[in-house]
């Protein structure tokens, strides 16, 4: 069978797909745009494996049995015929089975419209070794779990291949295979540009969408993550930025000593599974001024977020997203603020003001100050933290919409960009994340940009600086001057 390997590798497969011909990852994910050739490659790959691999049995599934018959089953017949191998296979049209007569390997085609029926599928020789889920975006996660559980056993290495077009960024597929690190997952993204055999007229058709419908071109032709409905933020700019974003310089978290009153001996720890991503390290000595916008876990969310900006340029230099208790979040924000040269911190005060008060108790006084008018006395009072209201929310989001449109290159964090891509207007016109998604990064980044105007630069007039000093003076009277050291490892 070695001759088959050489001939097929050089003359049949798209060259860009060849590295995945013999991949053995538990989960092999092919996603991308229309015309990429991913499904055809998968079909070719399985015909090849039917010929050269011992003890190979494949289950091919789609949402319904009829869709499987009209697509994948027909695809396999086409490949077998094209390769001139029809005499080596028995193709049963009635029960959708294909058997290799050389070694007894089999393929069974079924729909997920009857998951219980899948449990009774057997093979004449050996057990199930492989599953291909075509158009996986149509499949429920619960159905995937049933297949995953069935593909167990010792001996032969098992694999699930998943193929789909990434139309909906909020789909369970993204959360399960793209939003986490797992050595058992291999992912390959392809577009029509990777298809060596694509008809030139079809290429021209796809490329025509660049001018007529840019969003359709990005999502359906280039296979970028999209949303069902109209996005609020400029999807084209976000997708362009996603192609050029930098890798974090550091990923990790802070540890520290805490005596019940003060934080000291702050240490940065590198950890690939950490929840803080640093894209630019703070300038030393102090040259750049920084600000940090934070969104607390409130109604409809269980994440705390923070975004560190270069206050002068607006560039995102660090991002935090994690599930915390409020006191843990406050302490990480304290460390993050100290790390970025006593950055101005502005945390949303709506659902949980504890992190704001905790920062103040810990001796972190460089916090965003808002004004509040007492309705009874008419006096103007000042408070720490950002308050989201019917007036402030649309204002800061509108500013962020402008930043994404005009300065998208200032956003470095992939998780943030993907969240922004998913934000839509609901039926009442309110800007929000769809059901099951979150807007924590959006709000944290919007707050960060809003508070930039309150950062004091060395060349600002003295009166502008005085307005900021009241909070420091009041805090120092109560707590005294506090200092911390930071060690980066």
């Amino acid at each position: 069978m070695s001759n088959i390997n050489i001939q097929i590798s050089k003359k049949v497969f798209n060259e860009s797909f060849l590295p995945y011909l013999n991949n053995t990852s538990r989960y092999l994910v092919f996603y991308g745009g229309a015309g990429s050739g991913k499904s055809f490659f998968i079909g070719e790959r399985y015909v090849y494996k039917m010929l050269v691999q011992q003890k190979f049995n494949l289950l091919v599934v789609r949402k319904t049995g009829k869709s499987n018959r009209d697509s994948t089953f027909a695809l396999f017949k086409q490949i077998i015929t094209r390769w001139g191998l029809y005499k080596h296979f028995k193709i049963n049209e009635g029960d959708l089975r294909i058997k290799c007569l050389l070694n007894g390997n089999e393929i069974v085609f079924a729909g997920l419209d009857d998951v219980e029926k899948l449990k009774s599928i057997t093979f004449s020789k050996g057990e199930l070794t492989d599953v291909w889920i075509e158009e996986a975006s149509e499949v429920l996660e619960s159905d995937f779990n049933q297949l995953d559980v069935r593909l167990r056993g010792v001996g032969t290495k098992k694999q699930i291949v998943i193929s789909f077009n990434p139309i909906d960024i909020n789909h369970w597929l993204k959360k399960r295979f793209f939003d986490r690190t797992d050595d058992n997952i291999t992912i390959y993204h392809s577009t029509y540009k990777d298809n060596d055999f694509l008809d030139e007229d079809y290429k021209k058709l796809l490329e025509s969408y660049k001018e007529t419908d840019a969003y359709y071109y990005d999502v359906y032709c280039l296979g970028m993550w999209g949303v069902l409905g109209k996005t609020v933020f400029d999807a084209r700019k976000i997708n362009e930025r996603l192609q050029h974003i930098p890798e974090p310089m550091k990923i990790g978290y802070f540890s520290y000593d805490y005596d019940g009153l003060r934080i000291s001996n702050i240490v940065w720890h590198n950890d690939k599974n950490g929840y803080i991503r640093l894209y630019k390290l703070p300038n030393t000595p102090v040259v750049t001024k920084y600000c940090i916008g934070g969104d607390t876990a409130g109604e409809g969310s269980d994440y705390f977020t923070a975004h560190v900006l270069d206050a002068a340029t607006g560039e995102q230099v660090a991002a935090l997203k994690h599930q915390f208790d409020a006191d843990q979040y406050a302490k990480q924000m304290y460390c993050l603020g100290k790390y970025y040269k006593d950055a101005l911190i502005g945390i949303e005060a709506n659902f949980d003001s504890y992190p704001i008060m905790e920062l103040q108790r810990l001796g972190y006084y460089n916090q965003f100050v808002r004004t509040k008018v007492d309705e009874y006395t008419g006096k103007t009072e000042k408070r720490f933290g950002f308050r989201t209201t019917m007036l402030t929310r649309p204002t800061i989001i509108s500013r962020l919409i402008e930043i994404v449109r005009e300065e998208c290159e200032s956003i470095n964090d992939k998780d943030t960009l993907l969240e922004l891509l998913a934000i839509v207007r609901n039926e009442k016109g309110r800007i929000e994340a769809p059901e099951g998604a979150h807007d924590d990064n959006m709000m944290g980044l919007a707050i960060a940009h809003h508070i930039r105007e309150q950062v004091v630069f060395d060349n600002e007039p003295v009166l502008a600086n005085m307005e900021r000093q009241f909070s420091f003076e009041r805090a120092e009277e109560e707590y005294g001057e506090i200092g911390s050291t930071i060690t980066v490892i």
Side-chain angles (χ1 to χ4, degrees):
M1 291 298 176
S2 59
N3 289 335
I4 292 177
N5 184 12
I6 295 171
Q7 292 173 6
I8 290 177
S9 297
K10 290 185 176 180
K11 296 181 179 180
V12 179
F13 290 109
N14 270 310
E15 185 175 354
S16 64
F17 288 94
L18 279 177
Y20 306 95
L21 183 61
N22 295 305
N23 178 276
T24 59
S25 297
R26 169 70 182 187
Y27 308 104
L28 178 56
V29 181
F30 293 95
Y31 80 113
S36 68
K38 56 186 179 293
S39 295
F40 202 87
F41 165 75
I42 295 170
E44 291 179 321
R45 178 178 183 266
Y46 280 133
V47 173
Y48 163 73
K49 289 171 77 70
M50 288 275 284
L51 293 167
V52 303
Q53 187 169 315
Q54 299 299 315
K55 297 181 180 179
F56 173 84
N57 288 306
L58 169 67
L59 173 63
V60 180
V61 298
R62 284 195 62 173
K63 183 177 181 180
T64 66
K66 184 179 185 303
S67 61
N68 225 357
R69 177 185 291 275
D70 297 339
S71 58
T72 54
F73 186 68
L75 173 64
F76 275 90
K77 291 193 298 179
Q78 178 186 353
I79 294 169
I80 290 170
T81 301
R82 177 179 292 185
W83 286 4
L85 298 171
Y86 207 85
K87 65 180 180 180
H88 298 303
F89 289 88
K90 179 182 178 181
I91 300 176
N92 191 321
E93 300 276 354
D95 60 1
L96 299 183
R97 281 180 179 256
I98 298 177
K99 183 175 183 177
C100 180
L101 299 176
L102 298 174
N103 50 30
N105 290 335
E106 285 186 277
I107 308 176
V108 174
F109 301 80
L112 290 172
D113 41 350
D114 190 356
V115 178
E116 290 300 317
K117 188 177 180 180
L118 296 178
K119 297 179 181 179
S120 63
I121 292 177
T122 59
F123 298 89
S124 58
K125 179 183 176 183
E127 61 182 1
L128 177 66
T129 61
D130 290 73
V131 174
W132 175 20
I133 307 174
E134 167 70 324
E135 300 294 351
S137 57
E138 300 175 353
V139 174
L140 298 176
E141 187 172 14
S142 57
D143 290 341
F144 171 83
N145 291 336
Q146 290 287 336
L147 294 168
D148 197 23
V149 168
R150 179 172 179 187
L151 200 64
R152 302 291 182 187
V154 297
T156 307
K157 196 170 182 65
K158 308 298 195 299
Q159 185 179 69
I160 298 180
V161 168
I162 299 166
S163 56
F164 68 100
N165 295 338
I167 296 173
D168 184 7
I169 196 173
N170 299 301
H171 202 279
W172 66 267
L173 285 167
K174 181 177 179 300
K175 298 174 183 177
R176 184 147 183 170
F177 295 104
F178 294 80
D179 292 349
R180 65 191 183 97
T181 301
D182 188 333
D183 293 336
N184 293 315
I185 301 172
T186 297
I187 298 175
Y188 179 60
H189 177 267
S190 59
T191 73
Y192 68 93
K193 299 177 183 180
D194 300 301
N195 192 342
D196 298 331
F197 309 114
L198 191 64
D199 178 81
E200 287 300 320
D201 288 337
Y202 188 57
K203 280 186 179 181
K204 291 178 181 178
L205 173 63
L206 294 177
E207 290 178 347
S208 70
Y209 288 111
K210 289 181 184 179
E211 305 300 328
T212 60
D213 191 335
Y215 182 74
Y216 183 92
Y217 178 75
D218 285 344
V219 175
Y220 290 88
C221 301
L222 295 185
M224 297 179 179
W225 288 101
V227 294
L228 302 176
K230 183 63 176 176
T231 57
V232 169
F233 296 92
D234 193 320
R236 190 73 185 276
K237 292 294 180 67
I238 292 175
N239 278 323
E240 287 176 355
R241 181 57 180 155
L242 283 168
Q243 304 308 304
H244 302 98
I245 54 173
E247 290 295 323
M249 296 181 67
K250 294 177 181 288
I251 302 176
Y253 60 92
F254 293 102
S255 67
Y256 46 82
D257 291 336
Y258 177 58
D259 62 4
L261 183 64
R262 296 287 181 264
I263 286 176
S264 60
N265 300 323
I266 300 171
V267 178
W268 169 265
H269 293 275
N270 291 316
D271 183 344
K272 68 177 183 178
N273 297 315
Y275 41 82
I276 301 175
R277 299 171 296 282
L278 309 182
Y279 295 93
K280 283 194 173 182
L281 305 183
N283 284 342
T284 304
V286 178
V287 175
T288 304
K289 298 282 188 177
Y290 300 96
C291 61
I292 306 174
D295 186 49
T296 58
E299 188 177 84
S301 173
D302 54 1
Y303 286 98
F304 287 90
T305 65
H307 298 271
V308 185
L309 304 183
D310 179 322
T313 67
E315 182 180 11
Q316 181 189 41
V317 298
L320 174 156
K321 182 177 181 180
H322 197 56
Q323 294 175 315
F324 287 108
D325 290 332
D327 64 310
Q328 295 174 313
Y329 173 65
K331 291 179 176 64
Q332 287 295 318
M333 288 290 275
Y334 178 96
C335 297
L336 193 61
K338 287 294 182 182
Y339 184 73
Y340 280 97
K341 310 301 181 183
D342 293 308
L344 174 69
I345 295 180
I347 300 176
E348 187 186 45
N350 286 50
F351 297 105
D352 190 353
S353 60
Y354 178 83
I356 298 170
M357 294 185 293
E358 180 67 0
L359 279 177
Q360 187 175 356
R361 187 190 68 78
L362 291 170
Y364 201 101
Y365 313 124
N366 192 20
Q367 296 192 59
F368 171 76
V369 177
R370 72 182 190 276
T371 57
K372 180 180 182 298
V373 178
D374 188 293
E375 296 180 357
Y376 181 74
T377 64
K379 293 182 179 179
T380 299
E381 300 178 346
K382 297 183 182 296
R383 296 283 188 271
F384 283 144
F386 178 83
R387 189 78 175 176
T388 303
T389 68
M390 293 179 64
L391 294 177
T392 62
R393 188 178 190 275
T395 298
I396 65 171
I397 293 177
S398 293
R399 172 58 180 148
L400 187 57
I401 290 173
E402 179 185 0
I403 288 168
V404 171
R405 186 182 68 246
E406 304 296 337
E407 306 170 33
C408 199
E409 68 281 357
S410 69
I411 305 175
N412 291 320
D413 185 58
K414 180 180 180 180
D415 190 57
T416 301
L417 288 164
L418 290 174
E419 182 181 292
L420 294 177
L421 189 60
I423 302 297
V424 297
R425 290 187 186 273
N426 66 16
E427 64 278 3
K428 296 182 180 180
R430 177 182 168 85
I431 295 173
E432 63 181 11
E435 184 178 355
H438 301 281
D439 64 2
D440 315 280
N441 276 321
M442 177 187 74
M443 291 304 298
L445 185 59
I447 292 170
H449 278 285
H450 177 75
I451 70 174
R452 281 173 59 195
E453 64 187 29
Q454 211 172 92
V455 175
V456 178
F457 292 91
D458 293 337
N459 60 354
E460 288 185 341
V462 174
L463 287 177
N465 193 43
M466 289 175 62
E467 174 65 18
R468 294 278 297 110
Q469 287 302 312
F470 87 96
S471 59
F472 296 98
E473 294 168 358
R474 183 175 62 192
E476 286 177 0
E477 288 176 2
E478 183 174 353
Y479 294 114
E481 187 175 353
I482 304 297
S484 294
T485 60
I486 299 179
T487 302
V488 179
I489 61 173

